[in-house]
Amino acid sequence: MSTLIPTQLVLVVDDDSMMRVLARATLEQGGFAVEEANDGHAGVSAFERLRPDIVLLDVLMPVLDGFGACAALRKLEGGDHAPVLMMTALDDSDSINRAYEAGATDFITKPIAWPMLVHRVRYLLRANRAFLDLAQSEARLANAQRIAQLGHWEWNVATDQVRRSDEIYRIAGRTPEQLSAAPKSFLDIVHPDDRPIIEDALYAALYQQQPYNVDFRIVRPDGAIRIVHEQGEVHYDGARKPAHMRGTIQDITERKRAEERIRQLALYDSLTGLPNRHSFKDQLSHAVARAGRTNEVLAILLLDLDRFKRINDTLGHEAGDLLLREVASRLTKILRNMDYLARNDSGEANSFLARQGGDEFTVLLGGLKQAQDATKVVHRILEEVSRPFDLDGNQIVMSASIGIAVHPVDGNDADNLLKNAGAATHYAKQQSKNYQYYNSGMNAAALEKLALESKLRNARGLEQFVLFYQPKVDLSTGRVTGLEALMRWNDPGTGLVPAVQFIPLLEETGMIVEVGAWAMKRAVSQYAAWQAAGLQPPRIAVNVSQVQLKRNDFVTSVQQAIAIAGKPDHGLDIEITESMIMEDIEASIEKLKLIRALGVGISIDDFGTGYSSLRYLTRLPITALKIDLAFVRDMTTNANNMAIVSTIITLARTLKLKVIAEGVETEEQRKFLQLLKCDEFQGYLFSKPVLAEQVPALLARGGKAAAG
Ligand code: C2E
Ligand code: CA
Ligand code: CA
């Protein structure tokens, strides 16, 4: 069977081996034989040797590029017949022009839509065969042209009459009576918006003696649109005056529609159906160019859902997807009604919503009078996102952080505006704000952070980290009952860096695993050293990060630390926060139980700031609650905070947990806590965190205070 139709040979010339592999795979699947050449010269000689039916030619190649190769093989004997399909960079009209000058039959833009390639090659071969047949027989030509949906025309300049093949009438949906021989009559059936394209091309052909290639739309009598590709050129008489023009018209509607479908896939996010980040950037670039002329203000909003990961981790990815789709649909609804939200005098407020990826969405607001006009929309979005979501029966409450960059003040191009909106979002998150307008200081802050990060990386040698110790004091006896180890980084350049500045960086970079393990070991050996010196040191609590607790080897790292003591009295406790446990409750409980069994006390730090988890509190193997210093700080002036402190103390009592108030700075606070029957306190009132050398003196002082 297959011997009836000889397999057609495609020569693929590209220096990029990946492209060749992909082209081969695609074409062979389409039933073609494929040969490859990896540069222009090899391409020309392969052409001579193999006589392929069609050549796929890359433009950018070392030594002899595609233009050169194309020109060279056109000069070979028989080289003028085979179609040459050039692969050019996207939208580069210059190289497309050059490709045609070098004799290319057609071009295809990179990145190549692979599913289209086989169709393009087939179509070119078909069209090419039609052209070859033309030379042989008029009858066969007409047929071939019908198959290729290719028509031809000839315009006699002297008589100003156009002769057209049948296929043109078929494409136009008109009879020869309906489409007169006057050249102008053809222009009348062209879509009005596209007429200048043809006029310009004809002008160039006649006066600059250039052949032309154009795509335009034809409107059929029933209103249907056909997209056609026209090639034309002028032929001159002996006196070098235009004698006639000839051209072909091909119906490429199906091809264009297929391309359009592929484009859709490339421009839209499949999960939410929203435009994707590429579309957004495109749209933003256009808006920026337009805004430069009209002085309108643009706002770029970058929305990031807070703690989205938690949904994925606890409810599964399907719930996460559902949530993203629901957020997308809520945002779409708000923005559809945007005129009402951000109306300006001309009423031209407009918006463009896209999914940036992950849990990030971007919104472009245009037609604003002033930057602050975006605030109304932002509030509306935040309000909508904070309405509870129902994910297959799970009611969940979300929040989002929105960063806003404004054109022209915050950037003059799409990249910068997006980057700055991102910086603002990041800032909003860090400051626990709902939204934040960009300001140039944010990048400075980010740079500072980067500098710190690189210094930290160099500080990897653990000797730059130091533990300070802050006593916990019994409120009734005044005795020091515990120590909290607080880390400092002794940066050779700037001196002691506070924990809040570098712990988050250690967490982000994962270095906290190593440094945190060191801190536990350091605390255990310090405890042992004090014992060896004849002191009776209190237990030492080390703060543990989320990043450490999450790891599978966390229990092992605690074991390794207490092993240093070489006896059961290792003195090690840990402090963790409520939200850390909630991240993965069951796994956390398992690990904490193992650690508790090793004789390690576990306090819940910053208690009161996490989301309420009373249900789990009873299941946790914990020993103490630490009331967050924010409540303690204001308790004497803020009745609400006083109530919280008192509730936590009662709660601890009920659960038989020890309760410690942190951040006690005044005598008044201490008295209140004593009245509320809090067990212990910690804070500057008694002592700031101090170096190990200063601890013995503090222990003695605590003892004396109790005695006196
Ligand atoms: P935290 O565990 O809540 O520690 C209490 C913070 O309050 C400490 O800040 C402490 O110096 C400070 N503080 C103590 N008394 C008072 C007071 O009376 N008034 C005020 N205003 N502040 C007081 P620091 O040392 O800067 O540590 C900040 C946070 O960094 C800690 O919060 C803890 O979450 C984290 N951190 C510190 N050391 C480590 C560590 O070794 N590992 C890990 N993972 N985190 C650590
Ligand atoms: Ca702590
Ligand atoms: Ca705390």
Side-chain angles (χ1 to χ4, degrees):
M1 282 286 288
S2 59
T3 48
L4 287 179
I5 310 164
T7 309
Q8 288 180 299
L9 178 64
V10 186
L11 173 62
V12 178
V13 188
D14 199 320
D15 55 330
D16 180 344
S17 60
M18 187 50 103
M19 291 294 293
R20 295 201 305 273
V21 167
L22 287 172
R24 173 185 285 277
T26 311
L27 290 166
E28 284 183 344
Q29 197 154 42
F32 293 99
V34 176
E35 289 287 346
E36 299 172 18
N38 59 9
D39 67 45
H41 282 305
V44 175
S45 61
F47 182 89
E48 217 166 1
R49 194 170 68 245
L50 303 161
R51 293 290 160 188
D53 296 287
I54 181 165
V55 184
L56 229 64
L57 192 53
D58 180 32
V59 167
L60 289 179
M61 288 183 294
V63 193
L64 181 60
D65 66 12
F67 305 123
C70 185
L73 53 90
R74 283 299 184 224
K75 287 199 193 94
L76 297 175
E77 203 179 43
D80 52 351
H81 291 323
V84 175
L85 179 58
M86 285 210 126
M87 302 181 280
T88 68
L90 194 63
D91 281 345
D92 178 359
S93 64
D94 200 2
S95 37
I96 291 166
N97 284 337
R98 282 189 65 195
Y100 281 121
E101 276 163 29
T105 317
D106 206 346
F107 66 90
I108 187 166
T109 48
K110 278 187 176 180
I112 288 182
W114 294 107
M116 290 303 299
L117 183 65
V118 170
H119 297 292
R120 283 293 283 278
V121 166
R122 277 203 196 115
Y123 144 67
L124 275 180
L125 283 168
R126 205 157 59 188
N128 188 56
R129 205 157 36 206
F131 273 113
L132 295 180
D133 288 350
L134 172 69
Q136 295 173 357
S137 132
E138 277 285 337
R140 280 178 62 198
L141 168 69
N143 201 27
Q145 291 194 339
R146 189 179 55 73
I147 295 167
Q149 298 193 310
L150 181 75
H152 69 271
W153 53 264
E154 183 172 325
W155 171 26
N156 184 323
V157 176
T159 63
D160 200 24
Q161 294 281 296
V162 185
R163 220 159 48 87
R164 305 185 181 94
S165 73
D166 293 348
E167 190 58 24
I168 290 187
Y169 295 104
R170 248 192 303 273
I171 294 170
R174 290 173 169 85
T175 62
E177 290 72 44
Q178 288 169 313
L179 187 60
S180 86
K184 168 87 176 60
S185 69
F186 186 78
L187 210 55
D188 289 341
I189 70 168
V190 172
H191 192 289
D193 292 351
D194 294 353
R195 285 174 197 161
I197 300 175
I198 306 185
E199 287 164 346
D200 291 351
L202 286 177
Y203 184 89
L206 284 170
Y207 298 100
Q208 283 150 27
Q209 313 194 352
Q210 287 171 4
Y212 67 89
N213 278 276
V214 285
D215 289 353
F216 55 87
R217 288 166 296 174
I218 282 177
V219 187
R220 285 185 174 167
D222 63 0
I225 301 274
R226 302 307 293 177
I227 304 167
V228 299
H229 177 69
E230 179 172 84
Q231 304 193 336
E233 61 186 16
V234 185
H235 295 263
Y236 298 89
D237 60 17
R240 297 198 52 77
K241 280 176 66 184
H244 44 248
M245 266 188 92
R246 286 200 193 108
T248 57
I249 285 179
Q250 180 158 33
D251 189 336
I252 55 169
T253 313
E254 308 315 325
R255 189 182 101 199
K256 283 280 185 205
R257 292 205 175 131
E259 281 176 358
E260 179 59 25
R261 273 197 297 278
I262 287 166
R263 212 176 59 87
Q264 289 269 327
L265 290 177
L267 292 181
Y268 288 84
D269 165 49
S270 53
L271 178 68
T272 61
L274 292 179
N276 63 18
R277 64 196 308 167
H278 302 297
S279 312
F280 188 81
K281 215 176 124 182
D282 230 44
Q283 196 74 19
L284 179 54
S285 302
H286 285 128
V288 165
R290 209 172 41 234
R293 297 192 297 268
T294 59
N295 289 328
E296 68 175 308
V297 172
L298 304 173
I300 291 85
L301 277 46
L302 195 148
L303 175 148
D304 190 304
L305 295 174
D306 299 331
R307 293 183 301 277
F308 173 72
K309 216 176 119 335
R310 205 183 78 213
I311 303 294
N312 264 344
D313 290 349
T314 56
L315 299 177
H317 282 274
E318 264 163 46
D321 285 355
L322 200 61
L323 177 66
L324 291 174
R325 273 202 291 268
E326 180 59 25
V327 169
S329 102
R330 289 188 189 181
L331 294 180
T332 308
K333 274 198 208 108
I334 298 170
L335 294 168
R336 203 178 286 144
N337 300 325
M338 211 195 63
D339 319 345
Y340 142 78
L341 290 158
R343 208 196 317 259
N344 67 6
D345 291 348
S346 55
E348 279 177 332
N350 51 62
S351 68
F352 188 83
L353 168 68
R355 176 165 174 230
Q356 196 67 11
D359 59 344
E360 283 184 358
F361 294 86
T362 39
V363 180
L364 167 63
L365 298 178
L368 303 180
K369 271 285 213 200
Q370 54 190 20
Q372 302 312 323
D373 291 348
T375 310
K376 260 190 270 179
V377 182
V378 167
H379 279 299
R380 187 74 189 83
I381 290 174
L382 289 169
E383 193 184 313
E384 196 59 33
V385 171
S386 63
R387 274 200 305 120
F389 289 85
D390 182 352
L391 303 182
D392 279 339
N394 289 304
Q395 290 278 324
I396 66 139
V397 177
M398 293 296 293
S399 61
S401 308
I402 300 181
I404 307 151
V406 174
H407 173 83
V409 278
D410 299 337
N412 249 323
D413 60 61
D415 283 329
N416 264 314
L417 287 163
L418 271 169
K419 191 185 90 202
N420 292 341
T425 309
H426 193 71
Y427 192 87
K429 269 202 196 289
Q430 280 194 332
Q431 307 290 309
S432 304
K433 285 171 151 192
N434 284 328
Y435 70 95
Q436 173 71 49
Y437 279 87
Y438 171 77
N439 70 55
S440 54
M442 288 172 189
N443 277 336
L447 282 178
E448 215 168 274
K449 198 180 129 187
L450 268 181
L452 197 63
E453 186 177 321
S454 79
K455 274 208 276 183
L456 256 185
R457 280 189 188 284
N458 293 331
R460 249 219 136 102
L462 294 166
E463 59 278 6
Q464 288 188 9
F465 296 100
V466 192
L467 287 187
F468 276 57
Y469 299 89
Q470 188 181 36
K472 301 175 183 178
V473 183
D474 188 304
L475 270 160
S476 49
T477 65
R479 213 179 283 275
V480 174
T481 51
L483 293 169
E484 178 178 7
L486 292 158
M487 205 186 297
R488 301 289 178 267
W489 172 31
N490 198 354
D491 172 20
T494 49
L496 286 181
V497 182
V500 281
Q501 280 178 30
F502 71 92
I503 298 276
L505 277 173
L506 289 181
E507 291 179 329
E508 264 173 52
T509 55
M511 291 163 66
I512 192 71
V513 175
E514 192 188 337
V515 181
W518 167 83
M520 290 191 287
K521 287 182 183 158
R522 184 77 206 88
V524 172
S525 48
Q526 183 61 63
Y527 182 83
W530 278 326
Q531 279 184 327
L535 283 163
Q536 284 187 337
R539 303 178 68 82
I540 304 175
V542 174
N543 289 282
V544 165
S545 150
Q546 157 95 328
V547 180
Q548 292 169 273
L549 179 65
K550 264 208 313 221
R551 288 173 60 99
N552 290 330
D553 61 2
F554 178 61
V555 177
T556 316
S557 76
V558 175
Q559 275 169 329
Q560 282 168 351
I562 60 184
I564 291 177
K567 54 184 175 183
D569 182 21
H570 51 70
L572 182 69
D573 290 343
I574 61 166
E575 296 190 3
I576 54 178
T577 64
E578 206 180 350
S579 49
M580 276 166 61
I581 307 164
M582 300 314 289
E583 183 95 346
D584 188 353
I585 300 154
E586 299 306 326
S588 302
I589 292 179
E590 276 320 298
K591 286 178 196 163
L592 294 179
K593 275 185 180 159
L594 291 171
I595 287 166
R596 187 70 201 93
L598 296 170
V600 175
I602 303 168
S603 312
I604 304 282
D605 214 344
D606 304 345
F607 193 79
T609 58
Y611 27 96
S612 68
S613 51
L614 287 181
R615 199 145 60 92
Y616 295 103
L617 217 47
T618 53
R619 292 182 53 204
L620 291 170
I622 50 174
T623 44
L625 298 182
K626 295 187 76 178
I627 308 170
D628 191 63
L629 52 78
F631 302 122
V632 175
R633 190 177 51 214
D634 298 337
M635 63 183 277
T636 53
T637 51
N638 180 327
N640 198 24
N641 282 351
M642 175 68 91
I644 293 174
V645 170
S646 148
T647 307
I648 297 176
I649 293 170
T650 312
L651 177 72
R653 188 117 309 126
T654 316
L655 297 173
K656 302 206 165 46
L657 299 172
K658 208 198 271 183
V659 59
I660 303 159
E662 0 171 80
V664 176
E665 295 185 356
T666 67
E667 186 52 30
E668 197 186 7
Q669 290 164 341
R670 195 187 63 83
K671 286 206 175 109
F672 266 103
L673 289 162
Q674 217 164 13
L675 282 174
L676 292 170
K677 301 235 163 8
C678 184
D679 298 319
E680 299 179 2
F681 80 97
Q682 219 183 336
Y684 296 168
L685 177 65
F686 184 81
S687 169
K688 292 199 166 189
V690 296
L691 283 166
E693 296 89 278
Q694 296 161 281
V695 169
L698 279 180
L699 296 182
R701 174 150 76 83
K704 265 185 221 129

